[in-house]
Amino acid sequence: MDALFDAALDEPAFSNSDEGLGWTEANCSTCVHDRPARTGDGLGGCPLILVSLMGRRPVEWLDGPRDERGRYSMAGQYLCVEYRHEDDGPTDPRPVPDPPGQLELFPRGPYEGVRMWLRPNPALFSAVSR
Ligand code: SF4
């Protein structure tokens, strides 16, 4: 938790509570990382949400799509790289296996980056252009 807080940007993630609730409802309400909080374990919820409630913007939240004027939808203000739908299956990492018959020159772990999972409904996250 401390590492997430220290890495976060020193700026508020949302300009008001409507933005924050709109974004978390559209994203975190189906994410496996906040399921404990939704099922009664308030202390087991997503630490990134807690970081944002403490006035900082997690670095895991990248800017979502913007229109030509820089406007965005509440649901798409950020794209969380840690998002994973709760119905996606096992949460344990499943590294890509080494090709059969190949030797491994270097350990792959440090070179494998964060994967961003496909959102359940990408149409919800288009930039505002109305
Ligand atoms: S990992 Fe991202 S999308 Fe999932 S609950 Fe946390 S902040 Fe929300």
Side-chain angles (χ1 to χ4, degrees):
M1 175 62 205
D2 287 347
L4 294 174
F5 183 83
D6 291 343
L9 304 177
D10 190 15
E11 62 185 34
F14 303 104
S15 60
N16 57 52
S17 59
D18 275 356
E19 269 194 9
L21 289 173
W23 187 82
T24 53
E25 175 63 26
N27 293 271
C28 309
S29 64
T30 59
C31 180
V32 69
H33 298 298
D34 201 44
R35 183 166 45 195
R38 291 194 303 276
T39 55
D41 176 12
L43 297 177
C46 177
L48 298 179
I49 298 174
L50 183 56
V51 168
S52 75
L53 292 173
M54 296 165 75
R56 295 171 76 104
R57 174 182 163 186
V59 291
E60 290 81 2
W61 294 2
L62 309 179
D63 280 341
R66 289 351 190 208
D67 71 5
E68 65 281 353
R69 294 184 179 174
R71 296 178 298 181
Y72 50 84
S73 66
M74 277 197 205
Q77 181 173 0
Y78 300 117
L79 297 175
C80 179
V81 298
E82 296 295 339
Y83 174 84
R84 185 157 184 210
H85 195 279
E86 59 189 349
D87 296 334
D88 268 355
T91 57
D92 294 336
R94 288 174 290 166
V96 177
D98 293 321
Q102 298 288 311
L103 297 176
E104 184 180 75
L105 293 178
F106 305 102
R108 292 168 43 170
Y111 303 103
E112 293 179 346
V114 174
R115 290 182 66 188
M116 187 159 184
W117 299 88
L118 183 65
R119 300 183 160 279
N121 183 1
L124 283 176
F125 301 94
S126 60
V128 175
S129 58
R130 291 171 233 135

